[in-house]
Amino acid sequence: MFIQNIGDVTGQGVIFQGVPRGTIDTITFTIGLAPGVKTVDLNNLTIAYADAVRTEILIPVEGYRGNPPPGDWGIITVVNELGYPNMRLDYEEQFVIRINPKAAVVPNQVITISVKPREGKPMVIRRVAPSTIFEKDNIL
């Protein structure tokens, strides 16, 4: 594995009248290099989202950077960015990625996110949504 999850996986909650305990519409996580890896080209990165009902391959936003609409993913920011913006993850850089599945995540739902670079094995994140979802970041 060339990449690993760094820190928390959070979901941005949405509270609608008539929807008890809320839903999550976007999920944010950070990736960095696995120990011993010096650089990884993340062009053609594939991100898949799955829950008990659906599986979808998310589409990158144009230019890979930006807040994603439903069905897309984007890099929100790069921590410790070296050089010009690109899709190469270098030593000590971290990509903060936001995904926006087409269907909202409901309380207690099990989700799986697969992040697959062109080379190497995918990084898989499995989480359970909290039983009560708040408007601000929810730790998954």
Side-chain angles (χ1 to χ4, degrees):
M1 185 177 333
F2 294 124
I3 57 174
Q4 65 183 358
N5 183 57
I6 308 288
D8 292 330
V9 176
T10 60
Q12 187 66 34
V14 178
I15 309 300
F16 292 111
Q17 189 170 3
V19 178
R21 301 184 296 155
T23 61
I24 291 173
D25 63 350
T26 62
I27 300 166
T28 304
F29 56 93
T30 302
I31 63 170
L33 294 174
V37 178
K38 298 198 182 327
T39 186
V40 173
D41 181 2
L42 294 180
N43 282 300
N44 300 317
L45 183 70
T46 301
I47 298 180
Y49 165 85
D51 58 36
V53 177
R54 74 196 59 75
T55 298
E56 62 179 299
I57 303 296
L58 301 168
I59 300 166
V61 297
E62 187 172 337
Y64 293 103
R65 296 182 187 226
N67 208 15
D72 288 14
W73 68 269
I75 298 170
I76 301 305
T77 190
V78 179
V79 179
N80 300 322
E81 188 165 26
L82 302 173
Y84 295 103
N86 59 43
M87 285 301 291
R88 179 165 292 286
L89 187 58
D90 290 314
Y91 179 73
E92 291 190 5
E93 283 185 331
Q94 298 175 356
F95 286 5
V96 179
I97 297 175
R98 179 167 294 150
I99 67 169
N100 191 345
K102 290 180 182 173
V105 178
V106 297
N108 300 315
Q109 186 172 25
V110 177
I111 63 165
T112 302
I113 301 165
S114 173
V115 181
K116 170 91 171 74
R118 183 183 327 177
E119 299 175 8
K121 295 180 180 180
M123 177 192 76
V124 177
I125 301 170
R126 286 189 181 89
R127 296 290 191 275
V128 177
S131 58
T132 299
I133 295 171
F134 302 100
E135 284 187 65
K136 297 296 178 185
D137 289 334
N138 297 276
I139 304 269
L140 302 178

